[in-house]
Structure formats: structure tokens, C-alpha cells
Amino acid sequence: MVVPPMSLAAAAVPTLSRGTFATGLRCTWCAASFPLVALASCPHCETRGELSALNETLLVEYDLAGLGQVLDRDELARRPAGLWAWHELLPVADPELRQSAGVGGPPLVRLPALRARAGLGDLWAKTEGANPTGSFKDRPVGVATARAVELGARELAVFTSGNVGAALAAVCARLGLPCHVFLLAAAAHTQGGGPLSTDKLAQITAYGAEVLTADGALAALFDLGSRLEHELGWVLLNNFLPYMAEGDKTLAFEICAQLGWDAPDAVVVPLGTGTNLAGMAEGFRQLHALGFIQHVPRMIAAQPVGADSMTVAASSSASVVEPLAAVRPNAAPPLSHRVCSQSAYQAVLASGGAAVSVSDAEILAARAELATCEGILAEAASAAGWAAAKRAAAHGLLDRDSRVAVVLTSHGLKDLTATGVPPVPPTMPVAWPDFIAAYAALEKST
Ligand SMILES: [Zn+2]
């Protein structure tokens, strides 16, 4: 299990002011409650052996009745866009910690050409690549880091395959805190993992974080994380998963506000760990409970083949998502890409949604379509959302007249050479007759 840092677990839990309305952590599987401490997974469920340590089940609970008395959806929508515009619905009491360099608020962009191709009623993309470090991870990391600092963290670390590390490095730079990023080999969109991403290494380093890597089985990594906390006083962001889901929740808030509180029929979310889908589903649930939206969207999970534990669980009507067999048993997989959030799985089922697996070829084709048809360049893993939407529409999992929002989780500049380095462009003569002759020859040859 992931052990909460002693210094934080044993410390008196600061009482959150009425500025946030967060009341505690709740397990979506066994309904146990916990205080708002660092806790990655439910100790009760783990002790009983019902769930894996990576089956995320903890979410933050709120006093929704109290929130209903103070929140006005139109006033919320008029606030300057951003992560902390929703601060009453986030678990951070200290206003000084609600800082960001422009996190949140990317537009919801209509995709007319792709809508027509899929035959959908309407289609939008939430372009999360517009966040400061180029991915939606600025949201969960922003909230989780603020909560960690509120609990006393002064030096942070994280195990990541990339984008979380970039987001944490940027936040720590703004807060003036030391940051250690363990960059692990990426599962990316490929089966069986891949090498370290040099693009992500360069980005994280640019923010001044220390970058390390590690190779070992998952249990050994957990043990290392625990020792880092106990021996060195580093605080591991991986133990703040419920607070990361809180940041993801703001995606749901923004989508609804940007559509004038007329929620889409379905939302397609690319999954790694699934924390994002769990958080978004919780956000829609809260808006519905507050009476801000009339229905909750169907949640469609998009997973790459080889890291599609939710699709495997759904196809066998399993009640629990089981970890996929390790592709490389002795290598360190990115945390939890072999199994996804149990809360996310339950949210997909409860919403009448679906889990859709897409191949590498479908993902790369989707990335190309987004770029060439809509002018939106998405990271390959992010383009899985559009690939899954297309597949879902083609197989009747999305009604033809439905209004669908796809979350494009990160920018294509994150992995520009994912499909290889383009050929060197031809050098053209500059004198006109020579140019036009050379250009004619070039056109003929292609
Ligand atoms: Zn539990």
C-alpha cells in the first residue's frame, strides 16, 4: 500500500475554513470516510484485499447543501476563467496557495469537419494543451500541490511518465520549493512501454527541477517513495491522488459553464490512471446535485490497447478493474497504467457510458485528422479521445444526434516527433525561372 507520510498523517489536520466546504475523503467502494490527509488509496479496501493499491477509490466529499446556499452558477460563470475560479468546490482553504500561472480556462472548440465525419449532432474539443505546461495536468497538480503545502510539505517529489512532472516542476518553481521528479519509462500509446521521453526530460529540467529515474517493480518503487518521505522529508505527490481528481473536476465545471450550463450528452476522456475521468464525473455529479445542470453526461473512457484495463473489466462485466499482466515484469511501469481508477470505472458504468480501446494506428490517424482537418495539434496519447469518439460513433455507442465533448488532454508540441522526424525540405533555387522549373520537377516527383 502507499503509506501516507508520517509527518503529515500524524500531524493535526488543519480545519478547512468555510471557504472550501470540503469535509473529508470518501471511499467510493466501501464508503469509509477519512480526514483530508495524504492518502492515495483506501486502507480498509487494501487490508481486505478487495482492491489493488492502484485502484483509486478515494474522492473528496463536500457539504453540498451548504454550497447550494452560497453558490450561484451565473456568478461562477462570470468570474475570470481559471482553476481557482471554483475555489469553494476545491479542498484548499488558504487563499495564498490558490496560485497558478494561468491554469484552466482553455476554450471548448467546435470541430465541424470531424463532427460531419463521425455523423454526430455536435462535437467540441476541450483543448487542454493551452494550459501553461501544455497539458491538463496543471489542474490536478495545482490543487494537489496546494493541499500538500497546506499540510506542511516543503519539498516535493513525484513518480511520473512525464506530464505530471512538468506540471509539478512549474508549480514548485512558482512556490520556490525544491522538486524531484522521477521520470519513468512511458507506456505512452504503445504496447509494452517505451524509452524515457527526451522532450519531457528537457521540459522538466527547464523549470529547474531535479530529474531522476528508477527501474524496479512497482512494490519496490512504493517502498522507495515511503523511504524518501520518512528519511528525507520529501512529500510524494502520488499520495495525493484524491486531490488530483479535484483539479480534474474543474474540467467538468468549465465544459458546462462554456456550454451555458447545457451539459453535453457524452464526454470522451483519454485515460492513463483514470484519475481525470473520476474527477470529471464527480464534477458533473456535484453540478447536478447543485441543480446547475439538468443531466450528467455519459462518460466514455478512451484507452490505448495494451493499457486498457477498464475495457477488459467492462467486457467481462467485472465489478473491479484488475491490473493487466505486466508487459515487462521487471521494469518499472508508469504508475498505474496497468490498472485504472476504480472510481472512474464505476462512474462510467453509473453514467451508462462505455470503455473504448483504440490501437496505436487509430491514435496516430486521429492525431493527423485533428491537425489537418481542425488545426489542432494534440499529443498522441491525447488524440486517443478523438479516436475513441470515432470508434464509439461507428459502433453505435454514441447516438448519431448526440452532443459530444472530447478532452484533448495535452499539446502536440509535447511529442512532435512521435511519428518520426520529417524529411529535410528540398532546397529551392531563388531565381524565378530556376525556381519554377525545380518546383515543377518536384511536383512531378511526388
Ligand atoms: Zn474502501
Side-chain angles (χ1 to χ4, degrees), residues 214-242:
D215 196 2
L218 208 52
L221 275 182
F222 281 179
D223 187 52
L224 173 62
S226 178
R227 296 300 292 265
L228 291 173
E229 294 200 315
H230 287 85
E231 307 294 335
L232 300 181
W234 298 1
V235 171
L236 202 63
L237 204 69
N238 304 82
N239 282 329
F240 284 79
L241 290 175

PDB file of all heavy atoms in Angstrom, residues 214-242:
ATOM      1  N   ALA A 214      14.269   5.671 -12.170  1.00  0.00           N
ATOM      2  CA  ALA A 214      14.403   4.479 -11.341  1.00  0.00           C
ATOM      3  C   ALA A 214      13.858   3.307 -12.126  1.00  0.00           C
ATOM      4  O   ALA A 214      12.989   3.470 -12.981  1.00  0.00           O
ATOM      5  CB  ALA A 214      13.631   4.646 -10.033  1.00  0.00           C
ATOM      6  N   ASP A 215      14.367   2.150 -11.844  1.00  0.00           N
ATOM      7  CA  ASP A 215      13.923   0.954 -12.537  1.00  0.00           C
ATOM      8  C   ASP A 215      13.700  -0.138 -11.490  1.00  0.00           C
ATOM      9  O   ASP A 215      14.609  -0.492 -10.765  1.00  0.00           O
ATOM     10  CB  ASP A 215      14.993   0.513 -13.547  1.00  0.00           C
ATOM     11  CG  ASP A 215      14.428  -0.468 -14.563  1.00  0.00           C
ATOM     12  OD1 ASP A 215      13.212  -0.754 -14.487  1.00  0.00           O
ATOM     13  OD2 ASP A 215      15.189  -0.942 -15.405  1.00  0.00           O
ATOM     14  N   GLY A 216      12.497  -0.615 -11.402  1.00  0.00           N
ATOM     15  CA  GLY A 216      12.214  -1.646 -10.406  1.00  0.00           C
ATOM     16  C   GLY A 216      10.745  -1.988 -10.439  1.00  0.00           C
ATOM     17  O   GLY A 216       9.950  -1.322 -11.109  1.00  0.00           O
ATOM     18  N   ALA A 217      10.388  -3.032  -9.738  1.00  0.00           N
ATOM     19  CA  ALA A 217       8.984  -3.428  -9.671  1.00  0.00           C
ATOM     20  C   ALA A 217       8.196  -2.369  -8.904  1.00  0.00           C
ATOM     21  O   ALA A 217       8.756  -1.582  -8.143  1.00  0.00           O
ATOM     22  CB  ALA A 217       8.850  -4.782  -9.006  1.00  0.00           C
ATOM     23  N   LEU A 218       6.899  -2.391  -9.125  1.00  0.00           N
ATOM     24  CA  LEU A 218       6.053  -1.352  -8.547  1.00  0.00           C
ATOM     25  C   LEU A 218       6.155  -1.316  -7.010  1.00  0.00           C
ATOM     26  O   LEU A 218       6.245  -0.244  -6.406  1.00  0.00           O
ATOM     27  CB  LEU A 218       4.608  -1.613  -8.970  1.00  0.00           C
ATOM     28  CG  LEU A 218       3.680  -0.415  -9.063  1.00  0.00           C
ATOM     29  CD1 LEU A 218       4.279   0.681  -9.927  1.00  0.00           C
ATOM     30  CD2 LEU A 218       2.340  -0.856  -9.609  1.00  0.00           C
ATOM     31  N   ALA A 219       6.164  -2.500  -6.391  1.00  0.00           N
ATOM     32  CA  ALA A 219       6.229  -2.557  -4.921  1.00  0.00           C
ATOM     33  C   ALA A 219       7.520  -1.905  -4.428  1.00  0.00           C
ATOM     34  O   ALA A 219       7.530  -1.203  -3.405  1.00  0.00           O
ATOM     35  CB  ALA A 219       6.152  -4.005  -4.453  1.00  0.00           C
ATOM     36  N   ALA A 220       8.616  -2.122  -5.162  1.00  0.00           N
ATOM     37  CA  ALA A 220       9.893  -1.528  -4.759  1.00  0.00           C
ATOM     38  C   ALA A 220       9.847  -0.008  -4.908  1.00  0.00           C
ATOM     39  O   ALA A 220      10.412   0.727  -4.095  1.00  0.00           O
ATOM     40  CB  ALA A 220      11.017  -2.116  -5.604  1.00  0.00           C
ATOM     41  N   LEU A 221       9.161   0.452  -5.940  1.00  0.00           N
ATOM     42  CA  LEU A 221       9.015   1.901  -6.121  1.00  0.00           C
ATOM     43  C   LEU A 221       8.216   2.509  -4.964  1.00  0.00           C
ATOM     44  O   LEU A 221       8.547   3.582  -4.456  1.00  0.00           O
ATOM     45  CB  LEU A 221       8.292   2.201  -7.436  1.00  0.00           C
ATOM     46  CG  LEU A 221       9.136   2.273  -8.698  1.00  0.00           C
ATOM     47  CD1 LEU A 221       8.249   2.614  -9.876  1.00  0.00           C
ATOM     48  CD2 LEU A 221      10.238   3.312  -8.571  1.00  0.00           C
ATOM     49  N   PHE A 222       7.149   1.834  -4.576  1.00  0.00           N
ATOM     50  CA  PHE A 222       6.355   2.318  -3.440  1.00  0.00           C
ATOM     51  C   PHE A 222       7.209   2.400  -2.180  1.00  0.00           C
ATOM     52  O   PHE A 222       7.123   3.352  -1.410  1.00  0.00           O
ATOM     53  CB  PHE A 222       5.166   1.389  -3.184  1.00  0.00           C
ATOM     54  CG  PHE A 222       4.006   1.603  -4.109  1.00  0.00           C
ATOM     55  CD1 PHE A 222       2.872   0.818  -4.000  1.00  0.00           C
ATOM     56  CD2 PHE A 222       4.035   2.587  -5.079  1.00  0.00           C
ATOM     57  CE1 PHE A 222       1.785   1.008  -4.842  1.00  0.00           C
ATOM     58  CE2 PHE A 222       2.964   2.785  -5.925  1.00  0.00           C
ATOM     59  CZ  PHE A 222       1.833   1.991  -5.811  1.00  0.00           C
ATOM     60  N   ASP A 223       8.032   1.367  -2.001  1.00  0.00           N
ATOM     61  CA  ASP A 223       8.888   1.339  -0.822  1.00  0.00           C
ATOM     62  C   ASP A 223       9.884   2.495  -0.873  1.00  0.00           C
ATOM     63  O   ASP A 223      10.113   3.174   0.141  1.00  0.00           O
ATOM     64  CB  ASP A 223       9.625  -0.002  -0.754  1.00  0.00           C
ATOM     65  CG  ASP A 223      10.403  -0.136   0.541  1.00  0.00           C
ATOM     66  OD1 ASP A 223       9.786   0.059   1.604  1.00  0.00           O
ATOM     67  OD2 ASP A 223      11.620  -0.395   0.487  1.00  0.00           O
ATOM     68  N   LEU A 224      10.445   2.723  -2.050  1.00  0.00           N
ATOM     69  CA  LEU A 224      11.372   3.846  -2.195  1.00  0.00           C
ATOM     70  C   LEU A 224      10.667   5.158  -1.854  1.00  0.00           C
ATOM     71  O   LEU A 224      11.206   6.011  -1.137  1.00  0.00           O
ATOM     72  CB  LEU A 224      11.918   3.895  -3.635  1.00  0.00           C
ATOM     73  CG  LEU A 224      12.772   5.120  -3.980  1.00  0.00           C
ATOM     74  CD1 LEU A 224      14.034   5.175  -3.120  1.00  0.00           C
ATOM     75  CD2 LEU A 224      13.143   5.125  -5.466  1.00  0.00           C
ATOM     76  N   GLY A 225       9.451   5.322  -2.376  1.00  0.00           N
ATOM     77  CA  GLY A 225       8.699   6.546  -2.091  1.00  0.00           C
ATOM     78  C   GLY A 225       8.486   6.754  -0.609  1.00  0.00           C
ATOM     79  O   GLY A 225       8.647   7.860  -0.074  1.00  0.00           O
ATOM     80  N   SER A 226       8.162   5.666   0.073  1.00  0.00           N
ATOM     81  CA  SER A 226       7.931   5.735   1.511  1.00  0.00           C
ATOM     82  C   SER A 226       9.210   6.141   2.246  1.00  0.00           C
ATOM     83  O   SER A 226       9.200   6.973   3.161  1.00  0.00           O
ATOM     84  CB  SER A 226       7.429   4.373   1.989  1.00  0.00           C
ATOM     85  OG  SER A 226       7.236   4.395   3.375  1.00  0.00           O
ATOM     86  N   ARG A 227      10.345   5.561   1.810  1.00  0.00           N
ATOM     87  CA  ARG A 227      11.614   5.903   2.456  1.00  0.00           C
ATOM     88  C   ARG A 227      11.999   7.353   2.179  1.00  0.00           C
ATOM     89  O   ARG A 227      12.542   8.043   3.056  1.00  0.00           O
ATOM     90  CB  ARG A 227      12.727   4.961   1.963  1.00  0.00           C
ATOM     91  CG  ARG A 227      12.533   3.509   2.327  1.00  0.00           C
ATOM     92  CD  ARG A 227      12.472   3.294   3.847  1.00  0.00           C
ATOM     93  NE  ARG A 227      13.743   3.546   4.504  1.00  0.00           N
ATOM     94  CZ  ARG A 227      14.650   2.611   4.801  1.00  0.00           C
ATOM     95  NH1 ARG A 227      14.385   1.356   4.509  1.00  0.00           N
ATOM     96  NH2 ARG A 227      15.777   2.917   5.394  1.00  0.00           N
ATOM     97  N   LEU A 228      11.749   7.824   0.983  1.00  0.00           N
ATOM     98  CA  LEU A 228      12.059   9.226   0.660  1.00  0.00           C
ATOM     99  C   LEU A 228      11.313  10.163   1.607  1.00  0.00           C
ATOM    100  O   LEU A 228      11.854  11.189   2.052  1.00  0.00           O
ATOM    101  CB  LEU A 228      11.665   9.542  -0.789  1.00  0.00           C
ATOM    102  CG  LEU A 228      12.493   8.871  -1.882  1.00  0.00           C
ATOM    103  CD1 LEU A 228      11.868   9.139  -3.251  1.00  0.00           C
ATOM    104  CD2 LEU A 228      13.932   9.368  -1.854  1.00  0.00           C
ATOM    105  N   GLU A 229      10.066   9.799   1.910  1.00  0.00           N
ATOM    106  CA  GLU A 229       9.264  10.642   2.789  1.00  0.00           C
ATOM    107  C   GLU A 229       9.780  10.573   4.236  1.00  0.00           C
ATOM    108  O   GLU A 229       9.940  11.600   4.899  1.00  0.00           O
ATOM    109  CB  GLU A 229       7.802  10.222   2.721  1.00  0.00           C
ATOM    110  CG  GLU A 229       7.200  10.481   1.345  1.00  0.00           C
ATOM    111  CD  GLU A 229       5.689  10.547   1.364  1.00  0.00           C
ATOM    112  OE1 GLU A 229       5.062   9.689   1.995  1.00  0.00           O
ATOM    113  OE2 GLU A 229       5.149  11.466   0.730  1.00  0.00           O
ATOM    114  N   HIS A 230      10.029   9.356   4.685  1.00  0.00           N
ATOM    115  CA  HIS A 230      10.417   9.193   6.090  1.00  0.00           C
ATOM    116  C   HIS A 230      11.847   9.646   6.358  1.00  0.00           C
ATOM    117  O   HIS A 230      12.139  10.227   7.395  1.00  0.00           O
ATOM    118  CB  HIS A 230      10.241   7.732   6.517  1.00  0.00           C
ATOM    119  CG  HIS A 230       8.814   7.334   6.682  1.00  0.00           C
ATOM    120  ND1 HIS A 230       8.021   6.915   5.627  1.00  0.00           N
ATOM    121  CD2 HIS A 230       8.010   7.326   7.766  1.00  0.00           C
ATOM    122  CE1 HIS A 230       6.812   6.645   6.068  1.00  0.00           C
ATOM    123  NE2 HIS A 230       6.771   6.890   7.355  1.00  0.00           N
ATOM    124  N   GLU A 231      12.751   9.358   5.419  1.00  0.00           N
ATOM    125  CA  GLU A 231      14.168   9.630   5.671  1.00  0.00           C
ATOM    126  C   GLU A 231      14.577  11.035   5.242  1.00  0.00           C
ATOM    127  O   GLU A 231      15.422  11.655   5.864  1.00  0.00           O
ATOM    128  CB  GLU A 231      15.049   8.604   4.922  1.00  0.00           C
ATOM    129  CG  GLU A 231      14.707   7.147   5.184  1.00  0.00           C
ATOM    130  CD  GLU A 231      14.985   6.734   6.620  1.00  0.00           C
ATOM    131  OE1 GLU A 231      15.840   7.366   7.270  1.00  0.00           O
ATOM    132  OE2 GLU A 231      14.331   5.779   7.100  1.00  0.00           O
ATOM    133  N   LEU A 232      14.003  11.502   4.140  1.00  0.00           N
ATOM    134  CA  LEU A 232      14.451  12.782   3.590  1.00  0.00           C
ATOM    135  C   LEU A 232      13.431  13.912   3.742  1.00  0.00           C
ATOM    136  O   LEU A 232      13.728  15.060   3.463  1.00  0.00           O
ATOM    137  CB  LEU A 232      14.796  12.624   2.093  1.00  0.00           C
ATOM    138  CG  LEU A 232      15.900  11.608   1.749  1.00  0.00           C
ATOM    139  CD1 LEU A 232      16.152  11.583   0.243  1.00  0.00           C
ATOM    140  CD2 LEU A 232      17.201  11.963   2.491  1.00  0.00           C
ATOM    141  N   GLY A 233      12.230  13.559   4.153  1.00  0.00           N
ATOM    142  CA  GLY A 233      11.218  14.595   4.326  1.00  0.00           C
ATOM    143  C   GLY A 233      10.600  15.086   3.030  1.00  0.00           C
ATOM    144  O   GLY A 233       9.903  16.099   3.009  1.00  0.00           O
ATOM    145  N   TRP A 234      10.883  14.355   1.938  1.00  0.00           N
ATOM    146  CA  TRP A 234      10.222  14.721   0.689  1.00  0.00           C
ATOM    147  C   TRP A 234       8.758  14.293   0.779  1.00  0.00           C
ATOM    148  O   TRP A 234       8.438  13.284   1.422  1.00  0.00           O
ATOM    149  CB  TRP A 234      10.853  14.009  -0.516  1.00  0.00           C
ATOM    150  CG  TRP A 234      12.298  14.356  -0.755  1.00  0.00           C
ATOM    151  CD1 TRP A 234      13.084  15.202  -0.013  1.00  0.00           C
ATOM    152  CD2 TRP A 234      13.135  13.841  -1.790  1.00  0.00           C
ATOM    153  NE1 TRP A 234      14.350  15.243  -0.522  1.00  0.00           N
ATOM    154  CE2 TRP A 234      14.409  14.424  -1.626  1.00  0.00           C
ATOM    155  CE3 TRP A 234      12.938  12.950  -2.842  1.00  0.00           C
ATOM    156  CZ2 TRP A 234      15.481  14.146  -2.474  1.00  0.00           C
ATOM    157  CZ3 TRP A 234      13.990  12.664  -3.687  1.00  0.00           C
ATOM    158  CH2 TRP A 234      15.245  13.259  -3.507  1.00  0.00           C
ATOM    159  N   VAL A 235       7.896  15.029   0.144  1.00  0.00           N
ATOM    160  CA  VAL A 235       6.473  14.651   0.123  1.00  0.00           C
ATOM    161  C   VAL A 235       6.123  14.198  -1.291  1.00  0.00           C
ATOM    162  O   VAL A 235       6.343  14.931  -2.266  1.00  0.00           O
ATOM    163  CB  VAL A 235       5.582  15.828   0.580  1.00  0.00           C
ATOM    164  CG1 VAL A 235       4.113  15.515   0.344  1.00  0.00           C
ATOM    165  CG2 VAL A 235       5.841  16.111   2.057  1.00  0.00           C
ATOM    166  N   LEU A 236       5.611  12.974  -1.376  1.00  0.00           N
ATOM    167  CA  LEU A 236       5.343  12.361  -2.679  1.00  0.00           C
ATOM    168  C   LEU A 236       3.940  12.732  -3.164  1.00  0.00           C
ATOM    169  O   LEU A 236       2.941  12.394  -2.518  1.00  0.00           O
ATOM    170  CB  LEU A 236       5.469  10.839  -2.518  1.00  0.00           C
ATOM    171  CG  LEU A 236       5.756  10.019  -3.766  1.00  0.00           C
ATOM    172  CD1 LEU A 236       7.107  10.391  -4.374  1.00  0.00           C
ATOM    173  CD2 LEU A 236       5.727   8.527  -3.420  1.00  0.00           C
ATOM    174  N   LEU A 237       3.888  13.397  -4.290  1.00  0.00           N
ATOM    175  CA  LEU A 237       2.586  13.842  -4.797  1.00  0.00           C
ATOM    176  C   LEU A 237       1.687  12.661  -5.164  1.00  0.00           C
ATOM    177  O   LEU A 237       0.466  12.802  -5.183  1.00  0.00           O
ATOM    178  CB  LEU A 237       2.774  14.763  -6.011  1.00  0.00           C
ATOM    179  CG  LEU A 237       1.604  15.714  -6.267  1.00  0.00           C
ATOM    180  CD1 LEU A 237       1.505  16.772  -5.187  1.00  0.00           C
ATOM    181  CD2 LEU A 237       1.700  16.353  -7.640  1.00  0.00           C
ATOM    182  N   ASN A 238       2.277  11.503  -5.432  1.00  0.00           N
ATOM    183  CA  ASN A 238       1.474  10.320  -5.764  1.00  0.00           C
ATOM    184  C   ASN A 238       0.548   9.910  -4.613  1.00  0.00           C
ATOM    185  O   ASN A 238      -0.396   9.157  -4.819  1.00  0.00           O
ATOM    186  CB  ASN A 238       2.381   9.140  -6.118  1.00  0.00           C
ATOM    187  CG  ASN A 238       3.336   9.479  -7.245  1.00  0.00           C
ATOM    188  OD1 ASN A 238       4.377  10.084  -6.994  1.00  0.00           O
ATOM    189  ND2 ASN A 238       2.993   9.140  -8.469  1.00  0.00           N
ATOM    190  N   ASN A 239       0.830  10.391  -3.408  1.00  0.00           N
ATOM    191  CA  ASN A 239      -0.049  10.088  -2.277  1.00  0.00           C
ATOM    192  C   ASN A 239      -1.209  11.072  -2.166  1.00  0.00           C
ATOM    193  O   ASN A 239      -1.973  11.020  -1.198  1.00  0.00           O
ATOM    194  CB  ASN A 239       0.757  10.095  -0.972  1.00  0.00           C
ATOM    195  CG  ASN A 239       1.556   8.823  -0.808  1.00  0.00           C
ATOM    196  OD1 ASN A 239       1.138   7.759  -1.270  1.00  0.00           O
ATOM    197  ND2 ASN A 239       2.717   8.920  -0.184  1.00  0.00           N
ATOM    198  N   PHE A 240      -1.333  11.977  -3.141  1.00  0.00           N
ATOM    199  CA  PHE A 240      -2.393  12.992  -3.084  1.00  0.00           C
ATOM    200  C   PHE A 240      -3.403  12.801  -4.223  1.00  0.00           C
ATOM    201  O   PHE A 240      -3.973  13.769  -4.723  1.00  0.00           O
ATOM    202  CB  PHE A 240      -1.769  14.395  -3.143  1.00  0.00           C
ATOM    203  CG  PHE A 240      -1.138  14.801  -1.837  1.00  0.00           C
ATOM    204  CD1 PHE A 240       0.103  14.325  -1.472  1.00  0.00           C
ATOM    205  CD2 PHE A 240      -1.808  15.654  -0.962  1.00  0.00           C
ATOM    206  CE1 PHE A 240       0.680  14.686  -0.260  1.00  0.00           C
ATOM    207  CE2 PHE A 240      -1.242  16.015   0.256  1.00  0.00           C
ATOM    208  CZ  PHE A 240       0.007  15.527   0.608  1.00  0.00           C
ATOM    209  N   LEU A 241      -3.603  11.541  -4.604  1.00  0.00           N
ATOM    210  CA  LEU A 241      -4.475  11.282  -5.759  1.00  0.00           C
ATOM    211  C   LEU A 241      -5.888  11.867  -5.615  1.00  0.00           C
ATOM    212  O   LEU A 241      -6.432  12.414  -6.587  1.00  0.00           O
ATOM    213  CB  LEU A 241      -4.544   9.778  -6.032  1.00  0.00           C
ATOM    214  CG  LEU A 241      -3.249   9.167  -6.587  1.00  0.00           C
ATOM    215  CD1 LEU A 241      -3.381   7.649  -6.700  1.00  0.00           C
ATOM    216  CD2 LEU A 241      -2.916   9.759  -7.944  1.00  0.00           C
ATOM    217  N   PRO A 242      -6.534  11.770  -4.447  1.00  0.00           N
ATOM    218  CA  PRO A 242      -7.887  12.337  -4.367  1.00  0.00           C
ATOM    219  C   PRO A 242      -7.902  13.850  -4.642  1.00  0.00           C
ATOM    220  O   PRO A 242      -8.880  14.365  -5.194  1.00  0.00           O
ATOM    221  CB  PRO A 242      -8.307  12.050  -2.916  1.00  0.00           C
ATOM    222  CG  PRO A 242      -7.429  10.913  -2.477  1.00  0.00           C
ATOM    223  CD  PRO A 242      -6.124  11.102  -3.192  1.00  0.00           C
TER     224      PRO A 242
END
